[in-house]
Amino acid sequence: MIRTIESDLKSFKTINFLPGLNILLAQKSPNATKLQTRNGAGKTSLLELVHFLFGARSTPKSIFRKPELKNCKFSMAFELNGENMVVSRVGSTNQKISLKGNTQNWPIVPQTNPPKGEVEISNEDWKKVLGHFLFKLKFETDADQDFTPTFRSLFPYFARRIKDGAFQKPTKFFNQQQTWNEQVAISYLLDLDWNIATDFQKLKVEIKDTRDLKSIGARGSTAYKIGKPAEIRSQIAVKTHDLQQIKSNFDSFKIVNEYRELEKEADELTGKIALLGEENLIDRRSISENENSLIEETEPGEMDLETLYNEAGILIPELINLRIKTAKEFHRKIISNRKNHLEKEISSAKNRIKKREKEKTRLDQRRSTIMDILKTGGALDQYLKLQEELGRLEGDIQTLQRELEVAQELKERETQHKIDMNELEKKLSQDINERSQIVHKAIWTFEELSKSLYERAGQLIIDSGEKGPKFDVKIEGQSSEGIAKMQIFCFDHMLMDLNSQMDRSTGFLIHDSHLFDGVDGRQVAKVLQIGAQRAEEKKFQYIVTLNSDALPIDEFPPDFDIQKYILDVELTDKTETGGLFGLRFD
């Protein structure tokens, strides 16, 4: 229970709280300027101040680090572990918390500051102490803090801040709140086994790490993605076959120092053999032509000569017979000489062909010898290239072997992850069933509150899912801003009710005026009546901040005196000094 909030800032308006319902009312001027409403009357600042004193981070943008406030001490008197305690904090030294009260039996004993004569504790230890006393959280080492409930992950459900987007969904106090944080916090507040939600998140991290490993693979590059084991085995088989072939060639390889000279000689021999072949072809054509000429060469007959003379118009007398015989003899000798010449040409060509064939045989034998040498060996640079290729293949196979090991391990991990996820889901279902009494209590309390506001009650969903516990709220007309806001009211009071019964609670629930934006006046009146009734019955404070124009005076029944719940502090946006701090700042 909060008793008093005050400050050494002279213009600050001290607030004294009472048990039960407390309404901090701000008089809103209809003609207020934009400058006047920049900081408003201080209703939202009250939430910031409560969070500041309850260990919230104080960033350079915090209002308590502004020049007008950074050296001011803000204090709160409240009840902690059955003892009256006063906590103070200054924006300029925000990591230190000053305390007044009995701290002897605390799990973390504050230190006395001799110059100040005050008892001090670090903000981090202060949050641990608050978590221990208000929510019964255990002290754990920093290494054990991952994905576990903390004071600062539980407290905002009892003091939602508009700047965090806390009025958008009942199960979230922060619009960017991670799913695991929501699951762990709500599980703890509903007295479910929050360790299951933690295990779900740890498993999700492992699954993500496994996916990242698949992307990086054995080669350590994010541009490379490791394949499936079967695909890698195929690659290994192909590479191994290639390696065996190259290794066989490598083992039988002989380095020939004159390799390049022999290779050049072989090329020259090939050229010579080709040239001899071309020359033989020419001679063979010559032989064929000469042999045809031999067949065509014949002696001309006497009739041929006579015909020739007749055609020339020459009469052949008897005296010319002797000359014809002489001409025939002359032609016979010419033909004979011609045949002898052709026969010599043919014979000469055949001899040349024979000689060339013999030379070709000799050259071919030499070329064969050289080719045998080249086939069984090679130059040094070829040997080195072969050696390099051999090393490359061996390296590729080793890399693939490592990838195969990683791929098999990742596949085993993925299989195990599926098993673990199914086991966790089963464990979560069992936990919800085993804790059905508290689950039913939460659902029934929420429905009762919702039914008191609307004819059709909202429904609180508590279930197990593939990714952890599922918490949700459903109600007809949920798209309406007012109805959605009222489900947050029901949800928060349900949490307050359950945790009070478990003797772990802040002792107060604070709702900012933003919760009532878009809510019908009659519903606001109902909410305040229900809040007052439940706060009185359950023995906790329900602190509400409201603008005067949002307080539906005419909607309350005659037997409900709303005025007795309105705090006597006067806040207004009408003047420069009318707000909570008594001053305005940018």
Side-chain angles (χ1 to χ4, degrees):
M1 172 178 170
I2 301 176
R3 302 187 186 280
T4 303
I5 293 180
E6 57 187 358
S7 173
D8 60 3
L9 177 66
K10 293 182 180 180
S11 59
F12 184 83
K13 295 176 175 57
T14 299
I15 305 176
N16 296 306
F17 295 92
L18 301 171
L21 175 64
N22 291 257
I23 300 176
L24 180 62
L25 195 66
Q27 297 296 327
K28 186 175 181 181
S29 172
N31 298 320
T33 66
K34 183 176 182 181
L35 177 64
Q36 290 171 328
T37 58
R38 191 183 329 162
N39 306 126
K43 306 182 305 301
T44 299
S45 295
L46 173 64
L47 265 295
E48 293 299 318
L49 184 50
V50 170
H51 274 271
F52 181 65
L53 294 170
F54 275 90
R57 291 175 62 242
S58 180
T59 67
K61 294 183 178 181
S62 167
I63 61 172
F64 304 104
R65 300 281 290 277
K66 291 187 176 296
E68 297 87 347
L69 301 180
K70 68 178 183 179
N71 294 318
C72 299
K73 179 192 290 186
F74 296 93
S75 304
M76 177 175 63
F78 73 112
E79 187 176 313
L80 181 64
N81 194 33
E83 301 276 354
N84 290 326
M85 182 63 55
V86 176
V87 56
S88 301
R89 192 178 182 187
V90 179
S92 59
T93 57
N94 65 87
Q95 294 305 312
K96 290 293 183 180
I97 305 295
S98 298
L99 300 166
K100 289 181 182 179
N102 183 9
T103 62
Q104 292 182 352
N105 297 323
W106 283 19
I108 297 178
V109 180
Q111 301 296 315
T112 301
N113 188 332
K116 295 183 178 180
E118 296 179 347
V119 174
E120 292 183 343
I121 190 172
S122 71
N123 191 51
E124 290 302 312
D125 287 343
W126 174 234
K127 290 185 288 187
K128 292 179 181 180
V129 169
L130 289 172
H132 174 74
F133 285 130
L134 298 183
F135 293 114
K136 310 302 180 189
L137 293 174
K138 295 180 180 180
F139 282 88
E140 296 172 341
T141 62
D142 292 338
D144 297 327
Q145 287 297 319
D146 289 342
F147 315 125
T148 61
T150 63
F151 174 73
R152 290 303 308 174
S153 70
L154 302 177
F155 180 73
Y157 285 102
F158 302 90
R160 295 175 183 262
R161 293 188 290 187
I162 183 65
K163 75 172 188 177
D164 295 334
F167 299 108
Q168 296 180 11
K169 185 179 179 181
T171 58
K172 287 182 177 289
F173 63 81
F174 184 51
N175 57 1
Q176 295 180 351
Q177 186 176 356
Q178 296 186 46
T179 301
W180 72 262
N181 187 288
E182 174 191 352
Q183 291 175 333
V184 170
I186 300 300
S187 294
Y188 186 87
L189 293 173
L190 292 180
D191 201 32
L192 297 175
D193 187 354
W194 59 268
N195 290 286
I196 299 176
T198 296
D199 290 340
F200 263 106
Q201 179 58 24
K202 289 179 179 178
L203 184 55
K204 291 174 189 175
V205 172
E206 290 181 13
I207 292 172
K208 183 181 181 300
D209 290 343
T210 299
R211 289 173 180 168
D212 291 343
L213 282 173
K214 287 183 71 174
S215 296
I216 296 174
R219 304 187 185 185
S221 171
T222 55
Y224 177 80
K225 186 174 182 180
I226 195 166
K228 297 178 180 179
E231 296 172 347
I232 298 174
R233 288 192 193 96
S234 297
Q235 294 178 46
I236 291 175
V238 173
K239 295 274 186 183
T240 301
H241 179 266
D242 293 343
L243 176 66
Q244 290 172 347
Q245 285 188 326
I246 292 179
K247 193 171 183 181
S248 176
N249 295 335
F250 183 80
D251 292 340
S252 62
F253 194 93
K254 295 178 182 178
I255 298 177
V256 180
N257 294 327
E258 303 84 4
Y259 183 87
R260 295 305 178 198
E261 288 76 9
L262 290 174
E263 190 177 43
K264 182 179 179 182
E265 183 183 351
D267 290 340
E268 291 175 351
L269 289 172
T270 300
K272 289 179 179 180
I273 292 170
L275 183 59
L276 291 172
E278 291 175 0
E279 291 175 349
N280 282 347
L281 180 61
I282 294 172
D283 278 344
R284 287 193 178 95
R285 288 176 179 173
S286 176
I287 291 171
S288 178
E289 291 174 355
N290 289 335
E291 286 178 343
N292 290 333
S293 295
L294 280 174
I295 295 173
E296 293 174 356
E297 290 294 338
T298 58
E299 298 180 8
E302 294 181 1
M303 292 302 297
D304 292 334
L305 290 173
E306 291 176 357
T307 302
L308 179 63
Y309 281 116
N310 289 331
E311 289 177 353
I314 301 172
L315 295 175
I316 302 176
E318 291 294 328
L319 293 177
I320 205 169
N321 287 335
L322 180 60
R323 293 182 180 178
I324 292 175
K325 288 180 181 179
T326 302
K328 288 177 65 177
E329 184 64 26
F330 173 75
H331 283 289
R332 190 178 296 113
K333 286 182 180 180
I334 290 175
I335 292 172
S336 176
N337 291 338
R338 171 67 175 166
K339 286 183 177 180
N340 288 335
H341 172 74
L342 292 174
E343 287 173 353
K344 287 179 180 180
E345 286 294 323
I346 291 172
S347 177
S348 178
K350 287 182 178 179
N351 287 333
R352 287 196 302 271
I353 291 172
K354 184 177 181 180
K355 187 176 180 180
R356 290 193 196 104
E357 288 296 329
K358 185 177 181 181
E359 179 64 10
K360 280 177 63 180
T361 300
R362 186 186 70 79
L363 295 176
D364 193 52
Q365 288 176 347
R366 172 60 180 166
R367 185 176 65 173
S368 296
T369 301
I370 292 173
M371 295 305 295
D372 288 340
I373 295 172
L374 296 179
K375 286 179 181 179
T376 58
L380 178 60
D381 59 343
Q382 287 183 321
Y383 178 84
L384 294 176
K385 288 180 181 179
L386 195 62
Q387 189 178 46
E388 181 182 350
E389 180 66 11
L390 188 65
R392 186 189 66 79
L393 280 173
E394 288 176 341
D396 287 349
I397 291 172
Q398 289 178 359
T399 299
L400 286 170
Q401 290 287 2
R402 289 195 299 270
E403 289 181 11
L404 179 59
E405 292 174 3
V406 172
Q408 289 174 329
E409 180 183 350
L410 293 178
K411 186 175 182 180
E412 290 173 2
R413 282 193 193 182
E414 289 175 339
T415 301
Q416 188 61 46
H417 289 159
K418 292 178 182 178
I419 295 173
D420 293 343
M421 193 65 78
N422 290 333
E423 286 296 322
L424 281 176
E425 188 176 356
K426 180 180 178 181
K427 187 176 180 180
L428 178 59
S429 296
Q430 291 175 343
D431 182 62
I432 293 174
N433 290 333
E434 290 172 359
R435 299 173 192 254
S436 59
Q437 186 174 357
I438 188 75
V439 170
H440 292 163
K441 173 68 175 175
I443 294 173
W444 179 81
T445 301
F446 179 86
E447 184 178 4
E448 180 187 34
L449 286 162
S450 182
K451 189 180 293 184
S452 65
L453 296 173
Y454 300 99
E455 292 182 3
R456 291 183 177 273
Q459 184 179 14
L460 175 63
I461 307 298
I462 302 174
D463 197 5
S464 61
E466 296 179 353
K467 298 181 180 180
K470 296 168 61 177
F471 306 107
D472 200 4
V473 169
K474 293 183 178 180
I475 187 173
E476 186 176 330
Q478 195 166 3
S479 59
S480 166
E481 180 184 6
I483 293 177
K485 293 282 185 67
M486 289 301 94
Q487 299 316 300
I488 294 176
F489 167 84
C490 298
F491 186 82
D492 292 353
H493 272 275
M494 177 272 294
L495 290 181
M496 191 70 202
D497 191 355
L498 262 62
N499 284 271
S500 296
Q501 291 180 31
M502 293 182 284
D503 194 28
R504 60 182 200 195
S505 164
T506 57
F508 58 84
L509 173 63
I510 304 177
H511 277 154
D512 187 14
S513 60
H514 292 90
L515 179 68
F516 304 100
D517 290 345
V519 179
D520 181 80
R522 289 172 296 179
Q523 298 302 111
V524 174
K526 280 187 180 180
V527 164
L528 294 177
Q529 292 176 71
I530 293 170
Q533 179 185 353
R534 297 189 74 86
E536 183 177 354
E537 292 176 356
K538 308 296 181 181
K539 306 299 180 185
F540 69 89
Q541 283 178 310
Y542 181 40
I543 301 172
V544 177
T545 69
L546 275 177
N547 287 323
S548 58
D549 59 351
L551 185 66
I553 299 294
D554 298 334
E555 299 295 342
F556 296 103
D559 59 345
F560 185 80
D561 183 10
I562 190 64
Q563 295 296 331
K564 72 176 184 179
Y565 300 107
I566 299 175
L567 299 178
D568 57 7
V569 62
E570 294 183 2
L571 300 180
T572 179
D573 61 2
K574 190 173 184 178
T575 66
E576 292 290 325
T577 60
L580 179 64
F581 296 104
L583 53 86
R584 294 189 186 277
F585 44 85
D586 292 331

